[in-house]
Amino acid sequence: MTTSRNIILVLCVFLLAMSAAIAGTTTPKEIKVISSAGGPDPVGDVIVTWEGGRHERLTHGAHAEQAKLGPDDLIGWAWSKERYKNLWVNEHLRVQRGKHLLFEIKSGKPFIEDWAFAKEGVVVKSRAMHGPALIELFSLSDGKQIEIVTKAFGPEVPLWAKPFADSD
């Protein structure tokens, strides 16, 4: 009877260790884009390195760029589904917690120049091929737009948007 209990105890410890290892795989430690074409601004597929060192490709045949880690296991990247004049129109931003999609954002202008996770939400700076930029703030809970700055320079730029402001 004691041998059976020992085996059950060993199995329980093993299962707990395995579940802890599996749980750690949803904590991203690094995110990057691997490019099939090379170049200084890589566009390609998203690769995540999970806690524990396991690498995983989250996209296949994507046109992703600007992949970033955020707080609370958040990850995100801009992506394109069409081209315009040999440029990928990266007006989409995907935000996930680990491997679970939270929301997708479509920027106000066709090209996302930069974006970031901020304490206020997700900040996205976008622009057309020429002209002024927009700076938008989106909610981290549902991806809905909270605020938009149509003049991305000057003293009127709110504090959350200042890191994305154009120089005067």
Side-chain angles (χ1 to χ4, degrees):
M1 197 63 123
T2 306
T3 304
S4 297
R5 284 187 182 163
N6 286 342
I7 291 172
I8 290 172
L9 180 62
V10 168
L11 283 173
C12 287
V13 169
F14 175 75
L15 290 174
L16 282 172
M18 290 300 295
S19 65
I22 291 169
T25 63
T26 59
T27 301
K29 293 300 174 193
E30 180 183 13
I31 187 168
K32 62 183 175 180
V33 174
I34 56 165
S35 174
S36 56
D41 296 320
V43 175
D45 284 314
V46 176
I47 304 292
V48 164
T49 302
W50 303 106
E51 186 175 82
R54 188 173 63 84
H55 304 287
E56 184 174 5
R57 182 181 291 210
L58 296 182
T59 62
H60 295 279
H63 305 288
E65 56 186 285
Q66 301 180 42
K68 299 180 182 185
L69 290 175
D72 302 322
D73 298 338
L74 292 177
I75 58 175
W77 60 87
W79 64 276
S80 312
K81 61 180 171 182
E82 62 182 294
R83 288 176 76 95
Y84 176 76
K85 293 188 176 184
N86 294 325
L87 295 172
W88 286 106
V89 181
N90 67 338
E91 64 191 347
H92 301 278
L93 182 70
R94 182 177 181 96
V95 175
Q96 296 185 185
R97 176 163 282 113
K99 291 167 53 169
H100 175 72
L101 172 66
L102 295 178
F103 53 83
E104 288 198 352
I105 293 168
K106 185 174 180 190
S107 61
K109 300 249 180 166
F111 300 100
I112 295 176
E113 283 185 14
D114 198 7
W115 73 276
F117 292 105
K119 68 178 183 173
E120 298 86 353
V122 178
V123 181
V124 176
K125 179 180 184 180
S126 65
R127 181 184 314 264
M129 287 187 75
H130 306 285
L134 292 179
I135 306 173
E136 299 169 276
L137 177 63
F138 297 92
S139 166
L140 271 177
S141 62
D142 59 11
K144 294 193 186 309
Q145 187 184 77
I146 298 171
E147 194 172 344
I148 186 169
V149 175
T150 57
K151 186 177 172 188
F153 59 91
E156 307 87 29
V157 175
L159 190 58
W160 60 265
K162 286 210 183 282
F164 299 89
D166 290 337
S167 56
D168 293 328

